[in-house]
Amino acid sequence: QVQLVESGGGLVQPGGSLRLSCVASRSIFDFDTMGWYRQAPGKQRELVANVPRGGGRNYADSVKGRFTISRDNAKNTVYLQMNNLKPEDTALYYCNVVWRFSEYWGQGTQVTVSS
């Protein structure tokens, strides 16, 4: 079992920045992937970014060049640095882990981009 706790969401003006954090309850070194998804009201949950164990980064086209995902194995944490935020980035952001053929989710952290 893996528990995930997200933090860092909030209200920010367009063009602003936020950094989301997701702390796992166990070592993340062996996780197949760690990443972030988001779900806006009335829309399906979508992948924002993930980082596979083997390296590399995957990003949704809508966030490329603005968001950066990183992981700190020593802290069992994955981060999502979000810059130049837009109103369309408003959503509930979920941390996601895939490990040993199972998928785990955090409880979500709300990001609202509004003036």
Side-chain angles (χ1 to χ4, degrees):
Q1 285 291 328
V2 179
Q3 284 75 48
L4 303 169
V5 179
E6 302 108 330
S7 61
L11 173 64
V12 64
Q13 293 186 341
S17 298
L18 285 173
R19 188 177 80 155
L20 305 184
S21 300
C22 172
V23 181
S25 60
R26 56 162 291 128
S27 172
I28 68 172
F29 185 79
D30 291 327
F31 289 166
D32 299 300
T33 65
M34 289 193 76
W36 292 91
Y37 284 71
R38 66 186 181 187
Q39 187 167 21
K43 294 187 177 181
Q44 289 188 332
R45 192 173 296 189
E46 63 175 358
L47 174 68
V48 177
N50 68 14
V51 51
R53 181 179 57 187
R57 305 286 187 269
N58 300 305
Y59 293 96
D61 288 342
S62 59
V63 307
K64 284 181 180 176
R66 301 188 297 121
F67 291 11
T68 303
I69 188 170
S70 60
R71 56 191 289 172
D72 186 333
N73 290 343
K75 296 182 178 180
N76 297 339
T77 301
V78 65
Y79 302 99
L80 185 68
Q81 177 66 43
M82 305 185 295
N83 298 328
N84 190 22
L85 283 159
K86 303 177 180 180
E88 51 264 41
D89 295 317
T90 295
L92 191 58
Y93 283 70
Y94 295 92
C95 183
N96 170 268
V97 162
V98 177
W99 182 52
R100 294 184 177 178
F101 307 108
S102 294
E103 198 167 25
Y104 302 90
W105 296 91
Q107 80 287 352
T109 185
Q110 179 66 39
V111 172
T112 302
V113 185
S114 175
S115 56

PDB file of all heavy atoms in Angstrom, residues 58-71:
ATOM      1  N   ASN A  58       7.183  13.196 -19.118  1.00  0.00           N
ATOM      2  CA  ASN A  58       6.066  13.291 -20.055  1.00  0.00           C
ATOM      3  C   ASN A  58       5.162  14.430 -19.619  1.00  0.00           C
ATOM      4  O   ASN A  58       4.840  14.533 -18.425  1.00  0.00           O
ATOM      5  CB  ASN A  58       5.272  11.986 -20.076  1.00  0.00           C
ATOM      6  CG  ASN A  58       6.114  10.803 -20.502  1.00  0.00           C
ATOM      7  OD1 ASN A  58       6.729  10.827 -21.565  1.00  0.00           O
ATOM      8  ND2 ASN A  58       6.157   9.770 -19.680  1.00  0.00           N
ATOM      9  N   TYR A  59       4.764  15.256 -20.567  1.00  0.00           N
ATOM     10  CA  TYR A  59       3.917  16.401 -20.262  1.00  0.00           C
ATOM     11  C   TYR A  59       2.737  16.461 -21.223  1.00  0.00           C
ATOM     12  O   TYR A  59       2.857  16.123 -22.405  1.00  0.00           O
ATOM     13  CB  TYR A  59       4.701  17.713 -20.401  1.00  0.00           C
ATOM     14  CG  TYR A  59       5.792  17.896 -19.393  1.00  0.00           C
ATOM     15  CD1 TYR A  59       7.109  17.566 -19.699  1.00  0.00           C
ATOM     16  CD2 TYR A  59       5.518  18.421 -18.125  1.00  0.00           C
ATOM     17  CE1 TYR A  59       8.129  17.739 -18.773  1.00  0.00           C
ATOM     18  CE2 TYR A  59       6.531  18.597 -17.196  1.00  0.00           C
ATOM     19  CZ  TYR A  59       7.828  18.257 -17.523  1.00  0.00           C
ATOM     20  OH  TYR A  59       8.827  18.423 -16.599  1.00  0.00           O
ATOM     21  N   ALA A  60       1.606  16.935 -20.703  1.00  0.00           N
ATOM     22  CA  ALA A  60       0.499  17.268 -21.585  1.00  0.00           C
ATOM     23  C   ALA A  60       0.901  18.453 -22.448  1.00  0.00           C
ATOM     24  O   ALA A  60       1.637  19.340 -22.002  1.00  0.00           O
ATOM     25  CB  ALA A  60      -0.735  17.627 -20.752  1.00  0.00           C
ATOM     26  N   ASP A  61       0.430  18.467 -23.665  1.00  0.00           N
ATOM     27  CA  ASP A  61       0.788  19.562 -24.579  1.00  0.00           C
ATOM     28  C   ASP A  61       0.418  20.917 -23.999  1.00  0.00           C
ATOM     29  O   ASP A  61       1.124  21.906 -24.209  1.00  0.00           O
ATOM     30  CB  ASP A  61       0.089  19.367 -25.928  1.00  0.00           C
ATOM     31  CG  ASP A  61       0.678  18.226 -26.732  1.00  0.00           C
ATOM     32  OD1 ASP A  61       1.818  17.793 -26.435  1.00  0.00           O
ATOM     33  OD2 ASP A  61       0.005  17.762 -27.673  1.00  0.00           O
ATOM     34  N   SER A  62      -0.671  20.966 -23.252  1.00  0.00           N
ATOM     35  CA  SER A  62      -1.170  22.236 -22.740  1.00  0.00           C
ATOM     36  C   SER A  62      -0.276  22.851 -21.670  1.00  0.00           C
ATOM     37  O   SER A  62      -0.422  24.032 -21.357  1.00  0.00           O
ATOM     38  CB  SER A  62      -2.587  22.058 -22.182  1.00  0.00           C
ATOM     39  OG  SER A  62      -2.586  21.097 -21.145  1.00  0.00           O
ATOM     40  N   VAL A  63       0.636  22.060 -21.097  1.00  0.00           N
ATOM     41  CA  VAL A  63       1.480  22.586 -20.016  1.00  0.00           C
ATOM     42  C   VAL A  63       2.957  22.618 -20.380  1.00  0.00           C
ATOM     43  O   VAL A  63       3.773  23.107 -19.592  1.00  0.00           O
ATOM     44  CB  VAL A  63       1.278  21.787 -18.709  1.00  0.00           C
ATOM     45  CG1 VAL A  63      -0.198  21.707 -18.334  1.00  0.00           C
ATOM     46  CG2 VAL A  63       1.887  20.398 -18.804  1.00  0.00           C
ATOM     47  N   LYS A  64       3.309  22.110 -21.540  1.00  0.00           N
ATOM     48  CA  LYS A  64       4.716  22.085 -21.944  1.00  0.00           C
ATOM     49  C   LYS A  64       5.290  23.506 -21.962  1.00  0.00           C
ATOM     50  O   LYS A  64       4.666  24.422 -22.486  1.00  0.00           O
ATOM     51  CB  LYS A  64       4.864  21.443 -23.325  1.00  0.00           C
ATOM     52  CG  LYS A  64       4.724  19.937 -23.314  1.00  0.00           C
ATOM     53  CD  LYS A  64       4.894  19.355 -24.705  1.00  0.00           C
ATOM     54  CE  LYS A  64       4.745  17.835 -24.678  1.00  0.00           C
ATOM     55  NZ  LYS A  64       4.824  17.243 -26.042  1.00  0.00           N
ATOM     56  N   GLY A  65       6.471  23.624 -21.396  1.00  0.00           N
ATOM     57  CA  GLY A  65       7.121  24.927 -21.334  1.00  0.00           C
ATOM     58  C   GLY A  65       6.709  25.763 -20.136  1.00  0.00           C
ATOM     59  O   GLY A  65       7.333  26.798 -19.869  1.00  0.00           O
ATOM     60  N   ARG A  66       5.688  25.354 -19.422  1.00  0.00           N
ATOM     61  CA  ARG A  66       5.216  26.098 -18.254  1.00  0.00           C
ATOM     62  C   ARG A  66       5.356  25.289 -16.962  1.00  0.00           C
ATOM     63  O   ARG A  66       5.618  25.857 -15.902  1.00  0.00           O
ATOM     64  CB  ARG A  66       3.755  26.498 -18.441  1.00  0.00           C
ATOM     65  CG  ARG A  66       3.496  27.361 -19.650  1.00  0.00           C
ATOM     66  CD  ARG A  66       2.060  27.893 -19.664  1.00  0.00           C
ATOM     67  NE  ARG A  66       1.063  26.829 -19.750  1.00  0.00           N
ATOM     68  CZ  ARG A  66       0.107  26.625 -18.843  1.00  0.00           C
ATOM     69  NH1 ARG A  66       0.013  27.409 -17.785  1.00  0.00           N
ATOM     70  NH2 ARG A  66      -0.771  25.645 -19.010  1.00  0.00           N
ATOM     71  N   PHE A  67       5.144  23.991 -17.038  1.00  0.00           N
ATOM     72  CA  PHE A  67       5.191  23.135 -15.859  1.00  0.00           C
ATOM     73  C   PHE A  67       6.440  22.266 -15.901  1.00  0.00           C
ATOM     74  O   PHE A  67       6.878  21.842 -16.978  1.00  0.00           O
ATOM     75  CB  PHE A  67       3.970  22.218 -15.800  1.00  0.00           C
ATOM     76  CG  PHE A  67       2.661  22.896 -15.527  1.00  0.00           C
ATOM     77  CD1 PHE A  67       2.518  24.274 -15.564  1.00  0.00           C
ATOM     78  CD2 PHE A  67       1.536  22.127 -15.231  1.00  0.00           C
ATOM     79  CE1 PHE A  67       1.312  24.892 -15.314  1.00  0.00           C
ATOM     80  CE2 PHE A  67       0.316  22.729 -14.979  1.00  0.00           C
ATOM     81  CZ  PHE A  67       0.203  24.110 -15.025  1.00  0.00           C
ATOM     82  N   THR A  68       6.967  21.972 -14.724  1.00  0.00           N
ATOM     83  CA  THR A  68       8.120  21.085 -14.607  1.00  0.00           C
ATOM     84  C   THR A  68       7.879  20.093 -13.483  1.00  0.00           C
ATOM     85  O   THR A  68       7.567  20.492 -12.357  1.00  0.00           O
ATOM     86  CB  THR A  68       9.406  21.870 -14.323  1.00  0.00           C
ATOM     87  OG1 THR A  68       9.623  22.839 -15.351  1.00  0.00           O
ATOM     88  CG2 THR A  68      10.601  20.921 -14.266  1.00  0.00           C
ATOM     89  N   ILE A  69       8.029  18.807 -13.806  1.00  0.00           N
ATOM     90  CA  ILE A  69       7.885  17.773 -12.793  1.00  0.00           C
ATOM     91  C   ILE A  69       9.265  17.299 -12.380  1.00  0.00           C
ATOM     92  O   ILE A  69      10.184  17.209 -13.205  1.00  0.00           O
ATOM     93  CB  ILE A  69       7.034  16.585 -13.297  1.00  0.00           C
ATOM     94  CG1 ILE A  69       6.723  15.619 -12.160  1.00  0.00           C
ATOM     95  CG2 ILE A  69       7.708  15.880 -14.472  1.00  0.00           C
ATOM     96  CD1 ILE A  69       5.692  14.555 -12.535  1.00  0.00           C
ATOM     97  N   SER A  70       9.415  17.023 -11.092  1.00  0.00           N
ATOM     98  CA  SER A  70      10.688  16.512 -10.591  1.00  0.00           C
ATOM     99  C   SER A  70      10.414  15.581  -9.422  1.00  0.00           C
ATOM    100  O   SER A  70       9.341  15.632  -8.821  1.00  0.00           O
ATOM    101  CB  SER A  70      11.614  17.655 -10.166  1.00  0.00           C
ATOM    102  OG  SER A  70      11.031  18.426  -9.136  1.00  0.00           O
ATOM    103  N   ARG A  71      11.386  14.736  -9.123  1.00  0.00           N
ATOM    104  CA  ARG A  71      11.231  13.830  -7.989  1.00  0.00           C
ATOM    105  C   ARG A  71      12.487  13.860  -7.147  1.00  0.00           C
ATOM    106  O   ARG A  71      13.600  13.989  -7.666  1.00  0.00           O
ATOM    107  CB  ARG A  71      10.898  12.405  -8.444  1.00  0.00           C
ATOM    108  CG  ARG A  71      11.894  11.796  -9.410  1.00  0.00           C
ATOM    109  CD  ARG A  71      11.364  10.506 -10.035  1.00  0.00           C
ATOM    110  NE  ARG A  71      11.297   9.385  -9.095  1.00  0.00           N
ATOM    111  CZ  ARG A  71      10.722   8.216  -9.362  1.00  0.00           C
ATOM    112  NH1 ARG A  71      10.148   8.030 -10.536  1.00  0.00           N
ATOM    113  NH2 ARG A  71      10.713   7.243  -8.486  1.00  0.00           N
TER     114      ARG A  71
END
